[in-house]
Amino acid sequence: MSFPVDKIRSFFPSVSRPNAPIFFDNPAGSQVPQMVMDAFGAYFTTMNANQGGTFATSHKTDAMVRDARAKVADFLHAPNPDEIVFGANMTTLAFSLSRALAQTMKAGDEIILTRMDHDANVAPWLRIAEEHGFVVRWVDINPDDCTLDLNTLEGALNDRTKLVATVHCSNAVGTLNPIAQISQMAHAAGALCVVDAVQSAPHVPLDVQALGCDFLLCSAYKFFGPHVGILWGRYDLLEALPAYKVRPAKDYTPYRWETGTPNFEGIFAVGSAIDYIEKIGEEYCMEYSDQFSVFTNRAKSLKMGMEGIRQYEKMLISRLLDVLEATNGVQIFGITDRTRLDERCPTVVFTHNKHTPHEIAQHFAKHDIYVWDGNYYAVEIMARLGHTEHGMVRIGLAHYNTLAEIDRFADILHQL
C-alpha cells in the first residue's frame, strides 16, 4: 500500500524511540504524536486561564475551546459545533446522560442494551433502570461470528421502548455494527439511540448524520489524543434535557453539560489530535478524495485520513488472522472471513487450549509486546461466550503498527 507507515511512526516518540516495545494494547489507549504532547505545554505557556474573563489569556482560552469544538464537529460530521460536549471521559458523560434521560421516563418504560457493549454503555442504563423501575431488554449476539442478532432487537422493540444503547465497534471482538439500521429501527419504535463509538473513532471515518443516532460518545485518548471524553448529541435534545449542573453555570448547550472547570489543556490537545488526522488526510491519503467529495475542507481531509488508516489496518488484521489461524490450539472469536473485513476493526481476541490468557499476556510482556487479557470491561460478551473466569487475550492494532511487528508477535507466540 501507499500508506507511509515509517513516516507515521516518526510522529510518535513512544513508537519510534530505540528499542521501543510493540504496542498491541491500543484499544485500551493509543499512543500520542509529538504535536499532541506539544499542545499541553503551549496551552500553559500562552493561554492558561479560566473562561469568561476580560483579559487576553481568558479570551484565548475561549477561542481555543470554540476552535476545538469545531474540529471535533468536523471529525464526527456534526452539523453544529455546539453539539460537542467535553468531559472527563466517556463513562462519566454516559452517566450524566443517563441521569438526564431518566428524568424524561417513567416506571415501566423500557431500555434495550446489547450483550456486546463495554460496561460504560451498560452500567449507566442498568443503574437508572434499577432506580426508576425501567425494564431492561437485551440484544443477543450470534456466537459464530460475534455479530449482533438484530432479530432479538426487532423482538425487543415495542411502544414502551424509550432508548436503545449500542456499541459501534466492540472493544473485545472488533465487530462493527450497522448503526444506521439500528438507529432506524429504534426511531421507528419511537425510541432514542445512544452509540458508544470509543473503539470505532480510531479506525473508521465517523459521520453522525449518516449513522442517524441521537447521541454518540467517544474518548480522545483512543484516537491519539489526551484523556478527554466527548459527547455528541442532537442540539434540540441537549438543550431540552434536564442536565445536572451547578446553579451559576450557563444554562445553554454545550456549557450546561460541562460540569466544573474543563480540562482546557486537554481540550487544546484534542484539537491537536484532530490536526494530526487532518495532516494524514492532506499529505498521504489524497487517493480517497473522490470518495469523500461531498465533504469540504477540514471535514474532507479528516475523512480521507481515517479512510487511509482503515485500509492500511485491513492489511494488518489480515496478517494477524493468518498468524493466529496457523497456530495450534488457538481459537479466534469474531469475524475472520477476509471478505468481511469492512465489518470489523483491527481488534482480535483469542484463547489457547493450553495456556490462560494471563499466562499468554505475561509471556508477551517479557518480550516487550504489550497485549491485554481479561474482560476489558466487556462483561456481557465474555459471559455470553463462556469466558467469564479468565477472559481472552486481546490484540489491538493501530495505524502505526507494522507487518514486521506482527511477524515478531508470531515468533513469540510460537515459542509457547
Side-chain angles (χ1 to χ4, degrees):
M1 287 186 64
S2 60
F3 194 75
V5 65
D6 289 339
K7 182 65 175 177
I8 294 296
R9 288 173 66 84
S10 72
F11 299 141
F12 290 80
S14 59
V15 170
S16 58
R17 60 191 164 99
N19 302 314
I22 295 176
F23 295 100
F24 284 173
D25 62 332
N26 297 294
S30 66
Q31 298 303 300
V32 177
Q34 184 66 53
M35 60 190 295
V36 173
M37 300 179 192
D38 292 342
F40 281 93
Y43 175 79
F44 287 119
T45 302
T46 62
M47 64 185 89
N48 185 22
N50 216 322
Q51 295 180 104
T54 59
F55 45 92
T57 49
S58 183
H59 291 168
K60 289 180 179 179
T61 291
D62 291 338
M64 177 276 292
V65 173
R66 289 194 297 269
D67 184 57
R69 289 196 212 281
K71 289 176 179 179
V72 176
D74 282 343
F75 181 61
L76 300 178
H77 196 218
N80 182 351
D82 286 339
E83 293 175 333
I84 304 301
V85 176
F86 295 117
N89 47 58
M90 177 271 177
T91 304
T92 300
L93 289 168
F95 273 105
S96 295
L97 180 62
S98 70
R99 289 196 300 269
L101 285 169
Q103 301 305 310
T104 70
M105 300 166 61
K106 63 181 184 300
D109 285 346
E110 299 189 0
I111 297 171
I112 296 179
L113 309 177
T114 87
R115 298 292 184 193
M116 188 182 290
D117 274 78
H118 184 288
D119 214 53
N121 202 30
V122 174
W125 312 112
L126 292 179
R127 185 62 181 268
I128 64 169
E130 179 184 3
E131 291 175 346
H132 298 276
F134 306 145
V135 176
V136 174
R137 299 189 183 276
W138 293 91
V139 178
D140 201 3
I141 65 165
N142 300 303
D144 291 344
D145 62 0
C146 295
T147 55
L148 282 182
D149 180 358
L150 295 186
N151 289 328
T152 61
L153 171 59
E154 183 67 38
L157 288 164
N158 59 67
D159 58 4
R160 295 183 299 278
T161 307
K162 301 302 179 186
L163 175 73
V164 176
T166 187
V167 65
H168 191 193
C169 175
S170 167
N171 77 311
V173 295
T175 305
L176 269 173
N177 290 315
I179 297 301
Q181 180 183 355
I182 294 171
S183 296
Q184 188 175 40
M185 294 171 70
H187 293 159
L192 298 174
C193 183
V194 178
V195 173
D196 171 4
V198 168
Q199 293 298 333
S200 56
H203 302 297
V204 300
L206 291 177
D207 184 342
V208 293
Q209 297 181 65
L211 293 175
C213 52
D214 301 289
F215 301 95
L216 180 142
L217 301 107
C218 58
S219 294
Y221 80 102
K222 300 297 175 72
F223 60 85
F224 331 118
H227 287 266
V228 174
I230 296 166
L231 164 66
W232 168 82
R234 283 174 28 207
Y235 187 85
D236 59 325
L237 293 174
L238 292 176
E239 190 70 1
L241 285 171
Y244 284 59
K245 56 178 286 297
V246 296
R247 291 172 296 173
K250 299 172 183 176
D251 196 23
Y252 56 89
T253 300
Y255 302 101
R256 63 198 305 269
W257 291 91
E258 294 176 339
T259 56
T261 300
N263 174 10
F264 294 122
E265 63 274 21
I267 292 171
F268 190 42
V270 171
S272 187
I274 302 294
D275 291 342
Y276 165 73
I277 297 170
E278 182 183 8
K279 175 184 175 71
I280 293 178
E282 289 181 344
E283 297 187 11
Y284 310 120
C285 299
M286 289 304 296
E287 61 198 280
Y288 304 109
S289 178
D290 291 344
Q291 183 175 337
F292 297 101
S293 58
V294 298
F295 297 92
T296 59
N297 303 323
R298 179 170 56 209
K300 182 177 182 179
S301 296
L302 290 168
K303 297 299 177 285
M304 291 190 302
M306 291 307 304
E307 184 63 21
I309 287 172
R310 182 181 192 180
Q311 295 302 325
Y312 173 71
E313 289 177 343
K314 283 166 62 176
M315 180 177 66
L316 293 180
I317 193 173
S318 182
R319 175 72 69 88
L320 177 60
L321 291 172
D322 289 344
V323 167
L324 293 173
E325 288 175 343
T327 305
N328 291 332
V330 164
Q331 181 180 3
I332 305 169
F333 294 81
I335 295 169
T336 58
D337 184 344
R338 306 307 192 271
T339 67
R340 297 177 59 195
L341 294 184
D342 282 334
E343 299 177 47
R344 66 166 304 141
C345 288
T347 299
V348 181
V349 291
F350 69 92
T351 58
H352 192 274
N353 61 9
K354 293 183 179 179
H355 304 280
T356 68
H358 190 63
E359 289 169 346
I360 295 171
Q362 286 182 317
H363 173 71
F364 280 114
K366 291 176 183 177
H367 296 274
D368 289 328
I369 300 175
Y370 300 166
V371 305
W372 276 101
D373 68 282
N375 64 29
Y376 2 99
Y377 288 20
V379 176
E380 293 296 332
I381 195 167
M382 289 297 165
R384 179 66 177 84
L385 295 172
H387 287 274
T388 295
E389 183 177 1
H390 297 293
M392 302 182 195
V393 181
R394 182 177 69 180
I395 314 299
L397 307 176
H399 70 294
Y400 43 71
N401 292 129
T402 66
L403 293 173
E405 289 181 325
I406 295 173
D407 292 343
R408 172 64 175 160
F409 167 87
D411 292 339
I412 301 305
L413 177 63
H414 293 157
Q415 289 182 16
L416 283 172

